[in-house]
Amino acid sequence: MTLDGILPFARLLIQKTLSDAPCFVDATAGNGHDTVFLAGLAGEGGRVFAFDVQEQAIHNTKKRVAEAGFSNRVSLFHSGHEEVRKHIPDFYHGGINAAVFNLGYLPKGDKSIITRPDTTIEAIRQLFDMLKPGGLIVLVVYHGHAGGADERNAVVEFAAGLDQQRAHVMQYGFINQVNTPPFIVAIERRPAI
């Protein structure tokens, strides 16, 4: 296939933010796949901060990070992503390369525990202010579950309303697939004018 799938495209966008000693945020650690990907990109001099509200997700991520040999570059927080400002040291504020969200529920986990519009939008607000110029927030929006449409609508409306002088916002997704396929909303912090 010539077109990138949703997850490969999300990772491609994040790779474009690489710099020396990068800093990344996994706002929904889940089973740790993105945390390990980000830790690999970060390298020895970089840092990854990963958040999840579910103890099982933190356990799964910690195990996967340790197996990859990246424990020394990852900080895990059993906390909601709306608390990123509280947990990420001030030193990194204004220097985050990228943050990734996978909205919805923990795969193979409790489907009643889902990301919510209010906490997700608060996390986006905080992370946007913590991005370096040219930094990205990449949201993979899974919306085919109970509550998913509400979050999808809120996130898209919020992102579409961002001032174009401060942010570039794009949406990427397949429109001819069945069963509410996921899509990406990417928000790039523009350099100050």
Side-chain angles (χ1 to χ4, degrees), residues 65-85:
V65 165
E67 288 170 352
F70 294 152
S71 296
N72 63 332
R73 57 184 92 159
V74 174
S75 296
L76 291 169
F77 298 97
H78 183 203
S79 179
H81 48 224
E82 72 278 12
E83 296 186 354
V84 292
R85 187 179 293 126

Side-chain angles (χ1 to χ4, degrees), residues 6-58:
I6 296 302
L7 295 178
F9 188 66
R11 289 183 171 190
L12 178 67
L13 290 173
I14 292 166
Q15 287 172 328
K16 291 182 177 205
T17 71
L18 269 178
S19 64
D20 291 337
C23 177
F24 299 106
V25 175
D26 186 350
T28 52
N31 287 310
H33 298 288
D34 284 336
T35 305
V36 168
F37 168 73
L38 295 171
L41 284 182
E44 284 297 324
R47 195 86 203 135
V48 177
F49 299 97
F51 295 80
D52 210 291
V53 296
Q54 294 187 69
E55 191 171 326
Q56 185 62 49
I58 295 299

Side-chain angles (χ1 to χ4, degrees), residues 114-130:
I114 59 173
T115 54
R116 305 248 181 232
D118 56 338
T119 57
T120 297
I121 289 171
E122 179 57 29
I124 294 168
R125 281 190 176 108
Q126 290 179 33
L127 285 164
F128 185 81
D129 290 340
M130 296 167 72

Side-chain angles (χ1 to χ4, degrees), residues 23 40 48 66 79 85-86 103 110 112 131 135 144 157 179-180 183:
C23 177
V48 177
S79 179
R85 187 179 293 126
K86 175 177 140 184
L103 303 181
D110 184 347
S112 71
L131 290 174
E157 181 180 341
N179 299 326
T180 58
F183 62 91

Side-chain angles (χ1 to χ4, degrees), residues 43 46 50 52 59 78 82 96-97 102 104 108 124-125 133 135 146-147 165 178 183-184:
D52 210 291
H59 172 78
H78 183 203
E82 72 278 12
I96 293 175
N97 294 65
N102 282 284
K108 299 181 182 174
I124 294 168
R125 281 190 176 108
Q165 299 303 315
V178 298
F183 62 91
I184 290 172

Side-chain angles (χ1 to χ4, degrees), residues 130-161:
M130 296 167 72
L131 290 174
K132 64 190 242 175
L136 287 174
I137 297 171
V138 178
L139 300 112
V140 181
V141 182
Y142 293 91
H143 55 107
H145 59 280
D150 292 337
E151 186 172 39
R152 173 199 65 212
N153 295 343
V155 166
V156 169
E157 181 180 341
F158 174 79

